[in-house]
Amino acid sequence: MVTLPPEFVATKYPGYFWNVSDKKLYSCKVTGELRPLAFCKPNRWNHGFAGYRVSVNGQHRYLMLDRLLKLTPQSQVFPVAQIHQPA
């Protein structure tokens, strides 16, 4: 099982984690590395909301900053999938 530090909170989209201490959104890569995402300033394409642009099943979505700031730290444990190698 993989245990993330308590300051990382899972968002509503799988693979994206909000860090409540440094106020940044991170993406979990296939290698297990957490990488910070670029912050998107308010503009006409995201309807004037500040936040992060993420991809969910190939579709672009926005995680708004005001909703991310409401997330609180909690204990989270994630199971690791076992990959079976062909013989």
Side-chain angles (χ1 to χ4, degrees):
M1 285 205 220
V2 176
T3 304
L4 292 176
E7 63 266 9
F8 284 97
V9 179
T11 62
K12 67 179 185 176
Y13 299 126
Y16 296 99
F17 299 94
W18 175 249
N19 189 323
V20 294
S21 62
D22 68 359
K23 308 287 191 248
K24 289 185 182 179
L25 186 69
Y26 288 82
S27 172
C28 184
K29 299 300 177 188
V30 177
T31 61
E33 178 184 6
L34 289 172
R35 289 191 184 171
L37 295 176
F39 180 75
C40 294
K41 296 179 184 175
N43 58 48
R44 65 180 176 178
W45 290 282
N46 61 10
H47 307 289
F49 295 107
Y52 293 88
R53 185 173 147 183
V54 298
S55 177
V56 180
N57 296 327
Q59 299 292 319
H60 292 292
R61 305 278 185 236
Y62 286 99
L63 284 171
M64 303 304 169
L65 185 60
D66 59 346
R67 292 185 183 167
L68 290 172
L69 291 173
K70 294 178 185 176
L71 295 176
T72 58
Q74 53 191 346
S75 175
Q76 302 176 55
V77 178
F78 302 95
V80 176
Q82 298 295 327
I83 301 173
H84 298 286
Q85 297 291 333

